Amino acid sequence: MISVAGPTAAGKSDLAVELALRLGGECVNTDSMQLYRGMDIGTAKLSEAERLGVRHHLLDIWDITRPASVAEYQELSHGAIEDIRGRGAVPVLVGGSGLYIRAALDVLEFPGTDPKVRARLEGELEEVGPGAMYERLKEADPLAAKTILPSNGRRIVRALEVIEITGRPFTATLPEHRYRDPRTVQIGLLVPRPELDERIALRVDRMWEAGLVAEVRALEEKGLREGRTAAAALGYAQVLRHLSGEWTQEQAKEETVRATRRFARRQESWFRRDPRIQWLPYDAPDLLDRALRICT
């Protein structure tokens, strides 16, 4: 089993498709926002043509109004992996959502939920906003705070819920790195920060040119604002603020670039803590060959 990871805009999707073509594989999505139907441009979801005939799993499976559940995703990913293996193919996981990658690859059990605690914390989130809740998380679990965007109220609430239920930091509920299958290989794409910043700005420009604002407007009519997870997605949250009149379109675009760069820093911090990832320079002229050597 192969996982291609790394920060946003590093080129993971293209490498995963090439690996799948060479190894007789199928791709499994590990990007939490590509799970949502209709969120295509802002998540850089590959088109059918860009998939080059490689079968992709766990794309477009959830409606934008439903909250994401990593525990549910874990069950779905395990099913997809076994389905691929049952047909003699190689699972190639691809995406940049660190917790979702670990949910698919590792021996990992998620703490349960307490409806009363969750309801109270969600009420506090509505009252004081994600910023104040994020400051609370920073005090309770600084390591967890480094991996969560200050604007991501849903994940902040979940981390605080786990801390309250278990009496331990949220990060303490993540066990040591241990694969479910010892034959697993993780490849990470390494991009120097100045270049990554440029690639992110270019990607956002292309998203705007491809019609991100129109995509968000269409999803808004389908209930995007009611989706606690989807409405907080990078690009989508900023465009929604533009559509509500709070920001100009240029402000929304600039803030999308800034927020995406901050998110990429958090991705890098998360992946650095996993010593099993074998890193390759994203622009190596022999990238595919080097990746294949790691896999075989």
Side-chain angles (χ1 to χ4, degrees), residues 20-34:
L21 285 170
R22 293 288 289 273
L23 297 172
E26 299 178 11
C27 291
V28 179
N29 169 48
T30 55
D31 182 311
S32 61
M33 293 303 155
Q34 291 194 11

Side-chain angles (χ1 to χ4, degrees), residues 220-272:
E220 183 183 25
E221 295 176 358
K222 297 179 181 179
L224 178 61
R225 290 187 186 274
E226 285 69 56
R228 290 202 306 270
T229 304
L234 291 168
Y236 296 86
Q238 288 75 21
V239 173
L240 283 173
R241 294 179 73 169
H242 159 63
L243 294 177
S244 65
E246 184 177 350
W247 285 344
T248 66
Q249 189 169 157
E250 189 58 33
Q251 286 175 312
K253 185 177 178 181
E254 291 174 357
E255 182 53 36
T256 298
V257 172
R258 284 194 290 269
T260 305
R261 286 172 174 169
R262 291 195 297 268
F263 176 64
R265 308 287 190 269
R266 285 180 167 80
Q267 288 177 302
E268 291 172 331
S269 176
W270 174 282
F271 292 127
R272 277 197 301 269

